[in-house]
Amino acid sequence: MTPASPTGIPAVAVVGIGADGWEGLPAASRAALAEADVLIGGPRQLELLPAAECPGERVPWPSPLRPAVPGLLAAHAGHRVAVLASGDPMFYGIGRALSEELGAAALHVLPHPSSVSLACARLGWPVEDTEVVTLVGRPAARLAAALHDGRRVLVLSANADTPAEVAALLRERGFGPSRLRVLAQLGAEGESSYEGIADTWSHVPGDALNVVAVECRRSPDALRLGVVPGLPDAAYESDGQLTKRYVRAATLAALAPAPGELLWDVGGGSGSIAVEWLRAHPSCRAVTIEKNPVRAERITRNADRLGVPGLRVVTGAAPAALTGLPTPDAVFIGGGLTAPGLLDAGWDALPPGGRLVANTVTLESEALLTEWYRRHGGELVRLAVAQAVPVGGFTGWRQAMPVTQWSVTKPLTTAPTTAAPLTAATTAAPTTVPAQAQSSGHRTAGVDDR
């Protein structure tokens, strides 16, 4: 029996169901479906329920699903509602949307083994050591961030074409030797599987309800990409407007991304700071602002190639282009520091505890950062690198332009100030920065229920 919510109205039952249908459901799940006045789910799921045991009104989800949730629930308020979900409703399922809409107390969730659990059981893979990437309603480029030699990845497919898309992406990203196994209709009598190598994948599309298991193998000549900031510069398409590898690593360390946080990357260049912020955790979010349309398109390509297609690219000049953006947890300014009001706009947008990091190679911008450091504190460092290069028959050092970096955390309480906004014209000549650190380079001028 479905329990009542705190309001006394029966809670919405959210019932996980597998490809084995009604026969695979435990007694509690069957009872919740049998008692429901209204049954909501995907057409495939609703067809799994026998009419005699489940006489409630059947309502298929419209497409797109997520925007329809509030209206459907409101239309059936006061009735006993059961919502069908694929496998575990709280694992990339409709359970999240329902919880956000109604609150957890208004739900009675009855999970079924997820496709991930079933796939790992068939493969002998420990669930906790297996990466999971869903491509349901999401671009295939998301998979690229999970590709590391020797790792095991389960891909939740959008349809029958997903296995071929996965194989193509593996080839493009230098993981052609990877082995793929497609597991279809997991848990059903008609369960099946087939496998192959990405480089030679030739299988025709099969069952739409499938999971793709990937054993990652990197090609010997493919660029190796690690999990920490500071990817090789060669990983990026660039016209030279790129925060170089070692400065990038130091910059990301100063920005200190954490799960769920949002970054503004102002003066995106090639997008490297925003890309590696997003690679830090799947829930990180980022907006990059770039005034050059050609570079903005290049940023989008870099984000797709490196597995973070969710990067939002805003084409426009800051600070005007910052208007209306969601509140950031951190702001990075990698170009255009002398634009009137830019630093003020970034600082004002940050909530208490937010971080701001700015890099520059010019004396004028360095003077500006020095003055902001004097007023707000934080850390002011100079990052410099020298690389070994041939000098005739010998080897010598070639010094890159030093980068001045200011990083600061906005205090929890900010004292009022009447000082005029700082610009390059109002700041004094550059002074000696208080600390130095060896580094390198510089920037030279963003529901599975069917």
Side-chain angles (χ1 to χ4, degrees):
M1 176 177 290
T2 302
S5 70
T7 63
I9 300 173
V12 172
V14 190
V15 181
I17 190 169
D20 49 358
W22 180 257
E23 296 300 323
L25 294 176
S29 296
R30 291 189 183 187
L33 295 170
E35 295 170 358
D37 301 317
V38 180
L39 299 161
I40 303 176
R44 178 186 61 81
Q45 297 159 341
L46 292 171
E47 290 174 1
L48 295 172
L49 304 182
E53 284 84 354
C54 304
E57 176 188 359
R58 301 188 178 208
V59 180
W61 286 115
S63 181
L65 185 153
R66 183 61 178 89
V69 171
L72 274 182
L73 294 176
H76 299 289
H79 294 84
R80 291 174 297 182
V81 175
V83 176
L84 287 165
S86 297
D88 185 346
M90 303 308 296
F91 187 72
Y92 291 112
I94 191 61
R96 174 174 182 169
L98 294 173
S99 179
E100 292 172 350
E101 187 68 29
L102 300 176
L107 303 180
H108 179 49
V109 181
L110 296 160
H112 189 276
S114 69
S115 57
V116 168
S117 294
L118 293 172
C120 285
R122 304 294 187 269
L123 297 164
W125 292 3
V127 177
E128 67 273 16
D129 292 336
T130 302
E131 186 90 13
V132 178
V133 177
T134 180
L135 299 186
V136 179
R138 298 166 174 85
R142 295 182 73 247
L143 176 59
L147 301 180
H148 299 282
D149 196 41
R151 291 291 291 169
R152 292 166 168 173
V153 182
L154 280 181
V155 180
L156 307 184
S157 292
N159 51 48
D161 296 323
T162 300
E165 293 176 5
V166 169
L169 184 140
L170 290 168
R171 292 193 297 270
E172 293 167 2
R173 300 303 195 276
F175 280 80
S178 300
R179 177 172 294 278
L180 283 70
R181 182 175 176 185
V182 180
L183 301 100
Q185 291 289 334
L186 282 163
E189 287 187 10
E191 180 177 319
S192 63
S193 69
Y194 54 94
E195 63 182 77
I197 302 299
D199 269 336
T200 57
W201 190 263
S202 60
H203 293 283
V204 297
D207 196 288
L209 193 65
N210 70 82
V211 174
V212 184
V214 182
E215 294 181 84
C216 298
R217 294 290 181 270
R218 181 168 54 88
S219 300
D221 57 347
L223 190 65
R224 184 181 183 279
L225 304 179
V227 297
V228 299
L231 297 181
D233 293 344
Y236 293 93
E237 179 187 346
S238 172
D239 61 359
Q241 197 79 358
L242 174 72
T243 301
K244 298 306 193 317
R245 181 178 193 176
Y246 299 103
V247 167
R248 192 184 326 130
T251 300
L252 267 295
L255 287 167
E261 289 190 328
L262 172 67
L263 170 73
W264 285 4
D265 177 14
V266 183
S270 300
S272 62
I273 295 296
V275 164
E276 295 189 29
W277 170 281
L278 290 172
R279 284 174 61 95
H281 194 272
S283 66
C284 285
R285 298 165 296 139
V287 180
T288 188
I289 299 90
E290 172 54 55
K291 66 181 180 181
N292 185 311
V294 174
R295 288 177 180 155
E297 292 178 2
R298 185 179 295 119
I299 290 171
T300 298
R301 292 195 295 271
N302 281 331
D304 285 350
R305 184 181 300 108
L306 293 169
V308 288
L311 173 60
R312 177 182 174 187
V313 181
V314 174
T315 305
L322 306 178
T323 303
L325 296 181
T327 301
D329 298 286
V331 173
F332 172 64
I333 303 177
L337 272 170
T338 56
L342 178 54
L343 264 172
D344 298 271
W347 181 257
D348 292 342
L350 285 171
R355 290 96 62 201
L356 187 147
V357 177
N359 290 356
T360 187
V361 296
T362 69
L363 295 177
E364 291 79 6
S365 293
E366 183 180 278
L368 185 62
L369 294 184
T370 301
E371 181 60 21
W372 275 78
Y373 167 70
R374 183 186 65 78
R375 291 177 56 186
H376 297 286
E379 286 189 296
L380 192 63
V381 300
R382 178 168 289 165
L383 307 172
V385 67
Q387 293 182 319
V389 297
V391 180
F394 299 92
T395 305
W397 294 108
R398 176 171 293 166
Q399 187 76 37
M401 291 179 67
V403 175
T404 298
Q405 181 180 94
W406 178 53
S407 59
V408 64
T409 299
K410 194 169 185 177
L412 298 180
T413 57
T414 304
T417 178
T418 58
L422 292 170
T423 66
T426 61
T427 54
T431 59
T432 303
V433 295
Q436 292 192 1
Q438 292 298 315
S439 190
S440 90
H442 59 282
R443 178 177 293 187
T444 55
V447 286
D448 188 5
D449 274 299
R450 294 162 285 158

